[in-house]
Each structure stands twice: as C-alpha cells, then as structure tokens.
Amino acid sequence: MENISREILKDVVPAAAETGKPVEPLGRLDHWSAAVLLERAAYLHKLARQGDGSAGETLKEYPRHCAMLSFRSRDGEVEIHENFADVFYVLEGRATLVTGGTVAGARLIKPGETRGSSIEGGARQELRAGDVAHVPAGLPHQMLVAGETTVTCLVMKVQEKP
C-alpha cells in the first residue's frame, strides 16, 4: 500500500516523491460554516435596519476572487462588472435576479464598474435558499426583494478577464 501511495504522490507531486520531504501547502484553507455565515448575516441585518436596507461585508480577498456576505431587505442597484463575475449562493430568504436588458440611469462608479437604477427588458429568475446563480462579467444584473422579504447570499466575485 505504501508503494502505491508513493506512486500516486510521485504522479501528483513529483518533487515531493523525489526528495521525500513534505510539500508545503500553497495557501491556507478558509472555511465558513453555514452557522457562522448566518450569525454574520444576523449582524448585517441589524446594520441594514439602521441604514438603507442593505449591508455586506468582505469575508476574504484572494488574488483573483473574493468572498462576500450580502444581506438585503430592499432592491439593489443594477450592477455591471466589466472584469468580474458574481456567483450568488442564497443562504436564506428569496429574491428575484434580473439580468440582461437595458440599464436605466447608467453611471460609471469606477473603471470597470457601472451602476444604474433599474433594468428594462431583462430576464427574471426567482432565487431561493440553496440556489446558485452565476452572472458572467459584463452582464447587467439587479437583485429585487419584494415586500417584507429578505435575502442573504454568499457572493463570490471571480475575475474572468484581466
């Protein structure tokens, strides 16, 4: 069994097999349990109540992506990210994700980032707890939250273009 393990290790990490030394990991594992994320979301909910109905925090930034937590009790602005995709994982609640169409009131916030007030003629997708949605770079998108509904999402911003 040990010989098989060494052969597999040699195929996967040739330098480790040749030197016999352990390979240092490239990075540290980051882990957020659902309980921790929902605890943080409860705090964001309090912040949102004191503010404009929306709150978020960056959990961790990486070289080409970042992990964020977002809470909404109101509609968000339209966003267009020139170089980054958004991957939404709905932890709790529900919202409507509108994509495509024409952006009303478009304004450049910073290079590569446009915001607007609404989307005209976009496609609508209902999102509920457990759903995942990938919004590619360049696609206008807006999260709509109806009535007393709220939504909490883990958002991964992933660089798709340099």
Side-chain angles (χ1 to χ4, degrees), residues 32-40:
W32 302 280
S33 67
V36 167
L37 292 172
L38 291 174
E39 181 180 310
R40 296 299 307 157

Side-chain angles (χ1 to χ4, degrees), residues 65-122:
H65 70 285
C66 75
M68 302 173 70
L69 189 60
S70 173
F71 173 86
R72 292 194 166 283
S73 61
R74 66 158 179 88
D75 295 348
E77 284 190 291
V78 177
E79 300 179 8
I80 305 172
H81 316 291
E82 185 177 316
N83 300 317
F84 285 83
D86 280 345
V87 179
F88 296 99
Y89 172 67
V90 181
L91 292 164
E92 64 181 3
R94 68 177 194 262
T96 300
L97 180 62
V98 184
T99 57
T102 303
V103 179
R107 63 195 186 288
L108 189 65
I109 298 298
K110 62 183 181 181
E113 182 80 17
T114 300
R115 299 277 172 100
S117 57
S118 63
I119 292 179
E120 298 168 5

Side-chain angles (χ1 to χ4, degrees), residues 1-146:
M1 184 68 151
E2 187 174 320
N3 286 340
I4 293 171
S5 296
R6 285 183 190 192
E7 286 302 312
I8 292 171
L9 183 60
K10 184 179 176 183
D11 289 342
V12 176
V13 189
E18 292 168 12
T19 65
K21 295 179 183 177
V23 175
E24 291 297 318
L26 296 176
R28 186 183 119 233
L29 170 70
D30 292 308
H31 172 257
W32 302 280
S33 67
V36 167
L37 292 172
L38 291 174
E39 181 180 310
R40 296 299 307 157
Y43 173 71
L44 293 177
H45 186 157
K46 289 177 186 177
L47 289 178
R49 263 195 310 230
Q50 295 172 359
D52 64 0
S54 176
E57 71 174 314
T58 299
L59 299 170
K60 179 87 183 243
E61 290 190 29
Y62 301 91
R64 289 186 303 277
H65 70 285
C66 75
M68 302 173 70
L69 189 60
S70 173
F71 173 86
R72 292 194 166 283
S73 61
R74 66 158 179 88
D75 295 348
E77 284 190 291
V78 177
E79 300 179 8
I80 305 172
H81 316 291
E82 185 177 316
N83 300 317
F84 285 83
D86 280 345
V87 179
F88 296 99
Y89 172 67
V90 181
L91 292 164
E92 64 181 3
R94 68 177 194 262
T96 300
L97 180 62
V98 184
T99 57
T102 303
V103 179
R107 63 195 186 288
L108 189 65
I109 298 298
K110 62 183 181 181
E113 182 80 17
T114 300
R115 299 277 172 100
S117 57
S118 63
I119 292 179
E120 298 168 5
R124 293 174 173 261
Q125 178 64 52
E126 183 76 19
L127 299 179
R128 298 180 182 276
D131 288 353
V132 176
H134 174 267
V135 179
L139 183 66
H141 57 285
Q142 182 178 28
M143 195 74 74
L144 303 178
V145 181

